[in-house]
Amino acid sequence: MKNAYNAKAYSAASATSPLAADAIPRRNPTDHDVQIEILFCGICHSDLHQVRNEWREVMPTVYPCVPGHEIVGRVTKTGSAVTRYKEGDLVAVGCMVDSDHTCPNCREGLEQFCPNMTLTYNSPDKHLGGVTYGGYSDSIVVDERFVLRVPKNLDLAGAAPLLCAGITTYSPMRHWGVTKGKKIGVVGLGGLGHMAVKFAHALGAHVVVFTTSPNKKDDAFRLGADEVVVSRNADEMTKHTGSFDFILDAVSADHDINAYLNLLRRDGNITLVGAPEKPLPVSAFSLIMGRRSLSGSPIGGIAETQEMLDFCGKHNITADVEVIPIQKVNEAYDRLLKSDVKYRFSIDMASLKAE
Ligand code: NAP
Ligand code: ZN
């Protein structure tokens, strides 16, 4: 391709193949583009859902698939019209790389709801055809409007997961008014869940963690929880009936949502950010009694993502990461399925040079 160059990446060739080294095209930066050398990329459970085509009914996977939407890196080149970034800047890219900029959602800074939004991977690529390729790669080229600035004090490996796990938990907590004096639940202490605990704690709320993994209890307290409930223990659950203002559900697999709806106080809300493969049955009475509500939330807009990064800079918040070379990505996926992650894998992209 004339207007493109080859980048190194890890891709999956099908829903059942492991990720492996590959070469992919990236466009040469146009006037408004920033070219970024990727330093770290977090592993989100969404990467796994997408690679294994678990969301086939909503967003079927196009192969080869290069996942990764928790990207931090350094600017290597800028287009002639780029004003916000220059070579050498530390920058980040999250789950979106473009939108139409004209729809009512975009005008409100809510690009995540734009009907023409382009996801970082597995979306139609307007420039090169085919689909977009994500951050399991040595470089990426992105319109400057979708590039974020990383506060200088943050560790880069730990900052990468802020671009999805961070904004996806920060945004609904801001929307639903998580503040001092509120009792907040976080269900599932994985990548998203552990960020939710850090944010809810920093926002001054009383935080209760629900986990299926008793061995995560000490960590939950260290991350900022005031109480920890092992959710498989019915007695521990009942103690909290009717008491929560807000619960964030960040579970990646099938589980009983009614057990959590019943823990909400009158007019309380549960927001699902976890996106399990199969539908979750909801009892009408869990909602009717107490006028409770159940909603969902996708990532967050660009302005709010920058706000979240700046909040993290101010409070010195990053993800707790296990840094791995790209060659261990398949092993990391297997561990995600066993809830064996403390609490985000972050790929050191320098490891891709060896491929
Ligand atoms: P993760 O790191 O794998 O964490 C998921 C956690 O869920 C696990 O650590 C575990 O916590 C709990 N869990 C797993 N299996 C369970 C089961 N069978 N029953 C009850 N709890 C279980 O995943 P993640 O990256 O945080 O992502 C979580 C979910 O959010 C995924 O479905 C992902 O696709 C979705 N997501 C959505 C958005 C969005 O925009 N809405 C953005 C990013 C990700 P414990 O060990 O504490 O029980
Ligand atoms: Zn994600």
Side-chain angles (χ1 to χ4, degrees), residues 94 119 144 146 178 180 249 256 275 294 305:
L119 289 165
E144 73 164 327
F146 284 80
V178 171
K180 199 167 160 48
D249 183 329
D256 179 16
L294 170 63
T305 305

Side-chain angles (χ1 to χ4, degrees), residues 44-320:
C44 179
H45 206 115
S46 301
D47 300 349
L48 188 159
H49 290 305
Q50 192 76 63
V51 158
R52 300 195 177 170
N53 209 9
E54 291 175 6
W55 294 336
R56 59 186 75 75
E57 279 157 34
V58 200
M59 28 175 138
T61 309
V62 178
Y63 297 95
C65 173
V66 178
H69 55 208
E70 296 185 333
I71 299 166
V72 295
R74 197 179 294 283
V75 175
T76 44
K77 204 189 261 182
T78 54
S80 58
V82 168
T83 55
R84 299 181 212 174
Y85 301 100
K86 57 176 193 322
E87 202 182 319
D89 284 356
L90 284 175
V91 293
V93 177
C95 303
M96 305 180 286
V97 288
D98 207 355
S99 68
D100 64 22
H101 304 285
T102 53
C103 76
N105 296 306
C106 284
R107 276 189 261 131
E108 281 187 66
L110 299 169
E111 299 87 353
Q112 73 272 36
F113 302 110
C114 171
N116 301 306
M117 184 261 283
T118 306
L119 289 165
T120 304
Y121 60 86
N122 203 57
S123 264
D125 185 327
K126 288 185 209 162
H127 299 263
L128 297 180
V131 290
T132 51
Y133 295 126
Y136 296 9
S137 174
D138 55 2
S139 78
I140 191 165
V141 177
V142 179
D143 184 305
E144 73 164 327
R145 289 173 290 188
F146 284 80
V147 176
L148 288 308
R149 205 171 280 288
V150 184
K152 289 206 169 58
N153 57 316
L154 297 183
D155 167 66
L156 291 184
L162 300 176
L163 278 299
C164 176
I167 185 59
T168 302
T169 52
Y170 181 86
S171 181
M173 289 202 283
R174 299 285 288 164
H175 179 77
W176 289 96
V178 171
T179 49
K180 199 167 160 48
K182 296 278 172 75
K183 183 173 172 184
I184 305 302
V186 175
V187 189
L189 199 62
L192 266 59
H194 97 291
M195 288 313 307
V197 174
K198 291 188 186 208
F199 288 138
H201 177 73
L203 293 167
H206 182 89
V207 190
V208 183
V209 166
F210 295 92
T211 180
T212 58
S213 311
N215 65 352
K216 293 183 182 171
K217 240 178 155 163
D218 290 347
D219 285 340
F221 285 119
R222 179 178 54 77
L223 294 165
D226 298 287
E227 298 178 65
V228 182
V229 171
V230 176
S231 52
R232 299 200 200 280
N233 182 334
D235 290 345
E236 278 189 57
M237 293 287 282
T238 332
K239 266 199 258 169
H240 291 276
T241 301
S243 67
F244 282 89
D245 296 290
F246 176 74
I247 297 177
L248 192 82
D249 183 329
V251 175
S252 53
D254 196 21
H255 63 292
D256 179 16
I257 187 80
N258 302 294
Y260 295 100
L261 282 168
N262 293 331
L263 303 188
L264 293 175
R265 63 163 69 227
R266 196 199 73 214
D267 292 323
N269 170 268
I270 289 193
T271 292
L272 293 181
V273 286
E277 181 176 5
K278 298 201 177 70
L280 302 169
V282 175
S283 145
F285 280 95
S286 303
L287 294 170
I288 290 170
M289 309 312 274
R291 199 164 53 189
R292 297 160 172 143
S293 66
L294 170 63
S295 55
S297 184
I299 50 179
I302 291 298
E304 196 175 40
T305 305
Q306 189 63 61
E307 176 192 310
M308 177 274 311
L309 285 168
D310 296 342
F311 180 88
C312 289
K314 189 167 159 220
H315 295 268
N316 216 358
I317 293 175
T318 50
D320 286 25

